[in-house]
Structure formats: C-alpha cells, structure tokens
Amino acid sequence: MALRTAGSVLVVFLWSVTVVLGQTGWSVTYTTQSICALKGSTVELTCSYTYPRGHKVTSTFWFTKMETGIEPEDIGQNAGRLEYHGDKKKHCNLRITDLRESDSATYKFRFITDQTRGKYYGEPGVTLSVTGLQVKVTGGHQDKTLTCITTCTLTDNPTYIWYKNGHKVKEDTSSLDSDSFSDADSYSCAVKGHEGLHSPAVYGPRNTSVSVSPSGDIVEGSSVTLTCSSDANPPVQSYTWLYRKNGGHYQSISNQNTVPHHVFNQIKSSDTGEYDCEAWNGMKTGRAETINIDVKFEWLKEHLSVSQSLW
C-alpha cells in the first residue's frame, strides 16, 4: 500500500463500542462505526484483524466502493492525504489529513493472504462524515442568538470558541447571545483544539446601494427597475423600499420583499422623487444612500426622438 509517512499532525480520535464481524478464524474489528470530523482536520480510522494460522498476509488496504465480481480499489493508491499506519499481522489503522467533505464515505478494510481464497474484508466498516462549521442567526431585530452548527454531531461534547471581529470573546457552548451589532461587527466560531478551522464570518449588510436601469434620462411610460445590492452573510432576507417627494417624509412603497428589485412597468412623472432601500439579513439592517429619480414628461420623449432623427 503506497502511502506517505505520517508527519506531525493533529489527530482526532473517537471511541465507541468495538464491533467484530467475521467467520471462524477471520475477523476485522473496528474501534468505532461512525465518526463526525471537521473539514480541514485529521482523523484516524482504527481497526485490527485476525486470520487462521498457516496464512501469510500479502496485501492490506482500505476501500470505499465494491462491485460484484470486481476486486475493490485501494483508496490509498490515488490519495496523498491518506497514510496507512497498520501492518501485515494485526493492526490496520488509516489516517486521513486535511479532511474534505468529499471524504465522507463508509470505509472498509480488506486483506489478502497467500492461500487460495484467502481474502477477507470486514463489515460494517467506518462511516466518516466530514462537516464544516456554520453560524446560524436566530431572533428578532433586538435580541439575537448565534449558534455554531454542523451537519453531523461532533462527539466528546467539544468546547466552542467565539470570535468577534477576529478576536476571541468567549469560550463556552455552541451558542452566543447578543442584543446589538454595529456595522463593523462580524462573528465566527471554532472548536477548541481546532482553532485554525473557523466558520465563515457572519455580519450585517455592508455597502448597501441602489442602481437604476436603464441609465440616462427617464421619461414617462418607460420601464424602470431599481435594484438594491448589499454585501451580507447570511444573505439578505428582505428588502424595504423607501420614497419621498419634495423633501417630505419617507414612505415605504414595498415592505420586506424577498427580491432586491422595485419595478415601474410604466413610470409616471408623479414618481419623481428620492428613493433608497433597506436590506435586512437577520443580524441588522443596512440602508443605501438616496438616489434621485427625475421623470420627464412624454412630450420630451417625442422631442428627443425628433432631435435624434434630424441629427
């Protein structure tokens, strides 16, 4: 089994009841049947095996796929991140470094001896699930709760570390409560012992702005689209469009739309005014700078058309 020598790495060991399956004289013992590990970390699948006296083991390997009548492929042949730490007598440990979500699979160990029909693999194998960390935001506009979540349950009740704007603020459970967020605040989480494997940071809407399409002069009867854009994580959940005319008070013209557009199918001169939008993503609201829409009368459209023809 052509695999590289192990270096100095951080290893995650997870233990459970030993499972032994096999027939007389043949067996593979997996230390655990299921492992949930963090993306980017290192994990070790541990097992041991037995075989009848008089046999000599000639080949050992791990595999993830088996088809009827076809010898399974040694996963170590094409993966430099895999290190076989076993031998040809008893131990059959496999270490996988820099875990990726694509490594999620059920791994089984197989060995072959020098005797006719001296081949064996162990069921049920080890099911490996690889997960990243994500921060989930719940609550209203005031009190909020941030929760560090994974797609599978990490074992051994890990301790979570919370970071605000890149600086450690708390070491405790998977949840963090907060009653306010500033424009600059961003939060991420990690698991103690794997501090280098942060979740993506969450933050309120930034650089919120409004654009108009088409650009240029706007005349009555034309179709005009206002688009609200914002940088936010989690993504913006709702948009509110605001309008005011002749320096009056702002009024809401659409509330909590899930799409970032406000469309005038046939804009009118009475739509002239100042427009801006608010973007809400569950953490806070970001507001754009006001833009001015000046709608020209229909006669100006005809005048422009005549001028262009003469030109």
Side-chain angles (χ1 to χ4, degrees):
M1 188 172 185
L3 297 170
R4 64 186 178 85
T5 302
S8 178
V9 294
L10 180 62
V11 180
V12 178
F13 290 96
L14 299 110
W15 307 99
S16 68
V17 177
T18 297
V19 176
V20 181
L21 290 180
Q23 59 197 49
T24 303
W26 301 85
S27 71
V28 175
T29 302
Y30 296 104
T31 305
T32 183
Q33 293 184 63
S34 177
I35 296 176
C36 173
L38 287 176
K39 179 181 178 182
S41 67
T42 295
V43 71
E44 186 150 341
L45 315 184
T46 59
C47 71
S48 61
Y49 61 102
T50 63
Y51 48 91
R53 290 185 178 181
H55 289 250
K56 180 180 179 182
V57 176
T58 58
S59 179
T60 58
F61 61 92
W62 288 76
F63 67 94
T64 58
K65 298 178 181 179
M66 171 173 274
E67 298 180 30
T68 303
I70 301 176
E71 184 67 25
E73 180 182 356
D74 179 358
I75 58 173
Q77 292 180 356
N78 301 308
R81 296 178 296 110
L82 279 69
E83 305 163 357
Y84 182 62
H85 287 198
D87 52 37
K88 293 183 179 180
K89 294 182 179 180
K90 180 179 180 181
H91 301 289
C92 45
N93 299 351
L94 177 69
R95 178 176 292 180
I96 308 175
T97 61
D98 189 21
L99 282 170
R100 304 167 185 174
E101 292 180 359
S102 59
D103 293 325
S104 298
T106 297
Y107 293 76
K108 299 176 183 179
F109 176 72
R110 182 168 179 77
F111 63 96
I112 300 173
T113 73
D114 59 353
Q115 303 295 313
T116 303
R117 301 182 65 182
K119 300 179 181 180
Y120 188 80
Y121 73 91
E123 292 281 12
V126 181
T127 299
L128 172 63
S129 301
V130 180
T131 180
L133 297 173
Q134 297 287 334
V135 176
K136 180 180 180 181
V137 183
T138 55
H141 285 255
Q142 298 300 322
D143 296 335
K144 301 174 186 67
T145 299
L146 307 183
T147 305
C148 196
I149 62 173
T150 54
T151 56
C152 57
T153 302
L154 297 173
T155 58
D156 296 337
N157 297 316
T159 298
Y160 292 85
I161 301 174
W162 286 95
Y163 298 86
K164 178 179 179 179
N165 303 326
H167 301 287
K168 181 179 176 180
V169 293
K170 188 178 181 181
E171 183 176 312
D172 200 354
T173 64
S174 61
S175 295
L176 178 69
D177 296 323
S178 181
D179 57 3
S180 65
F181 294 91
S182 73
D183 291 344
D185 287 343
S186 65
Y187 289 82
S188 62
C189 64
V191 170
K192 190 172 183 178
H194 298 276
E195 288 83 352
L197 304 176
H198 282 222
S199 70
V202 295
Y203 49 89
R206 300 172 178 172
N207 304 317
T208 305
S209 62
V210 178
S211 60
V212 183
S213 179
S215 59
D217 290 329
I218 298 174
V219 296
E220 280 189 314
S222 62
S223 176
V224 176
T225 299
L226 306 182
T227 299
C228 185
S229 61
S230 186
D231 171 25
N233 188 36
V236 174
Q237 300 171 7
S238 62
Y239 301 86
T240 300
W241 286 95
L242 302 170
Y243 159 80
R244 72 173 181 177
K245 186 175 182 179
N246 298 326
H249 296 292
Y250 277 101
Q251 302 178 33
S252 173
I253 56 176
S254 62
N255 186 43
Q256 294 188 347
N257 290 333
T258 56
V259 293
H261 307 294
H262 182 72
V263 179
F264 299 92
N265 290 319
Q266 290 185 314
I267 200 167
K268 303 174 183 178
S269 58
S270 59
D271 293 321
T272 293
E274 297 176 357
Y275 293 81
D276 66 8
C277 71
E278 293 180 341
W280 164 254
N281 78 328
M283 291 191 66
K284 67 181 301 291
T285 298
R287 186 164 177 171
E289 291 187 6
T290 299
I291 63 167
N292 185 66
I293 299 294
D294 184 14
V295 183
K296 309 297 183 183
F297 290 106
E298 182 68 24
W299 67 264
L300 179 59
K301 178 181 179 181
E302 297 175 356
H303 175 73
L304 290 173
S305 299
V306 171
S307 299
Q308 289 173 353
S309 297
L310 293 174
W311 179 261

